[in-house]
Amino acid sequence: MLPPWQTGKVIRIENETSSTKRFWIQVQELERFDFKPGQFVTLDLPIHEQKNKRWRSYSIASWPDGTNVFELVIVLLEGGLGTEYLFNRVEVGSELTFRGPAGVFVLPESIERDLFFVCTGTGVAPFRSMTHFILENNVPHQHIYLIFGCRKFGDCLYGPELKQLEAAVPSFHYIPTFSREEAEGHLVRTGYVHQVYEEICKEKKLEKPEGNYPAHFYLCGWKNMIDEAKQRILALGFEKKDIHQELYG
């Protein structure tokens, strides 16, 4: 059963990059807005007469913290009616109609394997939520690898925050990789996300030759990246049940 439509008030907006904004939305009729990290909300925007052409879904980028505020991170799509409305018409104090939380792209009940969070663009949103939730609530876990594919340095969402987190938490590994930048020594990964998780998995398998290396793969981003990742992960010897995905577009 779908949750009912609710009203949220935009209480803060920040530019994250030249084409990406962060929106903080408060659900004033609730004391706390509860959700599972990885879930999404659907906005009903006044951009079309047909209902289903007004709906836009976005992963929640914040994590459950006991308040009635959640955050969305949204990239401007050229010619996209939804994002153009959000970027040009919505301001602090605007009200948005939304439904949620929804979705089953969530963490396992107990985290007994390494987690690979593989994403491109705003696909980092659910993984930021999951990572903070695990670390701030001291959820028992293994290693977390957040592998974030970007084109240019300026596309790297939440970069300083995630670097700080990596420096503070030995089990968390933040690995941005840039497809349209030149390598600068060993500090910058260039290329695509696929080489990164393949290298890590091959090293882990060498450490444990007697059995399979256990891991969960969570994929979030554009279809081409996800399709290629699924093929490569299966080729590494993992099974379909080890792969979880959230598609954009």
Side-chain angles (χ1 to χ4, degrees):
M1 186 175 167
L2 289 170
W5 292 99
Q6 302 178 77
T7 301
K9 184 177 181 180
V10 178
I11 59 168
R12 183 176 163 198
I13 300 173
E14 280 187 14
N15 293 325
E16 177 69 4
T17 70
S18 59
S19 61
T20 312
K21 287 191 178 192
R22 299 166 66 180
F23 296 82
W24 283 262
I25 298 163
Q26 184 177 43
V27 191
Q28 293 178 311
E29 63 203 56
L30 299 177
E31 281 190 22
R32 53 186 290 160
F33 179 71
D34 284 322
F35 60 95
K36 292 181 180 179
Q39 289 191 304
F40 64 87
V41 295
T42 299
L43 305 183
D44 184 3
L45 304 173
I47 54 175
H48 202 279
E49 290 176 7
Q50 284 180 245
K51 284 184 183 178
N52 61 349
K53 293 192 175 178
R54 298 199 306 253
W55 297 347
R56 300 290 187 274
S57 295
Y58 300 102
S59 294
I60 302 171
S62 51
W63 51 98
D65 61 0
T67 72
N68 61 354
V69 177
F70 64 90
E71 181 189 334
L72 303 178
V73 60
I74 297 172
V75 63
L76 179 64
L77 297 176
E78 199 173 326
L81 290 179
T83 58
E84 287 186 355
Y85 176 84
L86 289 164
F87 273 60
N88 300 324
R89 303 283 296 279
V90 170
E91 53 192 27
V92 171
S94 295
E95 291 191 338
L96 294 171
T97 301
F98 78 95
R99 185 164 65 192
V104 294
F105 187 69
V106 296
L107 292 164
E109 288 293 319
S110 62
I111 306 171
E112 295 168 351
R113 305 173 170 203
D114 285 356
L115 296 174
F116 284 83
F117 295 154
V118 184
C119 56
T120 49
T122 53
V124 72
F127 301 143
R128 177 181 185 246
S129 177
M130 290 176 181
T131 300
H132 276 283
F133 177 79
I134 291 168
L135 301 180
E136 296 200 7
N137 291 282
N138 296 313
V139 176
H141 63 281
Q142 305 300 315
H143 286 276
I144 302 168
Y145 299 93
L146 200 169
I147 305 167
F148 184 12
C150 310
R151 290 181 178 178
K152 309 284 283 182
F153 294 141
D155 301 330
C156 200
L157 307 176
Y158 303 111
E161 173 192 308
L162 294 170
K163 278 183 187 173
Q164 256 186 331
L165 208 55
E166 181 184 43
V169 182
S171 59
F172 175 60
H173 312 275
Y174 169 59
I175 314 170
T177 182
F178 303 93
S179 61
R180 296 190 184 174
E181 294 284 4
E182 295 297 316
E184 294 179 9
H186 67 287
L187 295 176
V188 175
R189 290 285 312 225
T190 57
Y192 295 94
V193 292
H194 310 294
Q195 292 94 319
V196 180
Y197 60 76
E198 285 179 333
E199 282 176 21
I200 296 168
C201 289
K202 285 170 182 172
E203 285 173 17
K204 293 274 189 176
K205 283 190 172 183
L206 289 175
E207 292 170 17
K208 194 176 179 184
E210 73 282 357
N212 287 331
Y213 163 52
H216 283 292
F217 291 84
Y218 284 76
L219 313 175
C220 190
W222 296 104
K223 185 176 186 301
N224 289 349
M225 183 278 284
I226 288 180
D227 287 347
E228 183 170 351
K230 286 194 293 188
Q231 289 180 356
R232 288 178 178 243
I233 293 163
L234 293 172
L236 287 167
F238 294 95
E239 298 179 30
K240 283 184 180 177
K241 64 180 174 61
D242 301 325
I243 303 171
H244 316 267
Q245 69 182 62
E246 188 84 301
L247 212 57
Y248 278 20

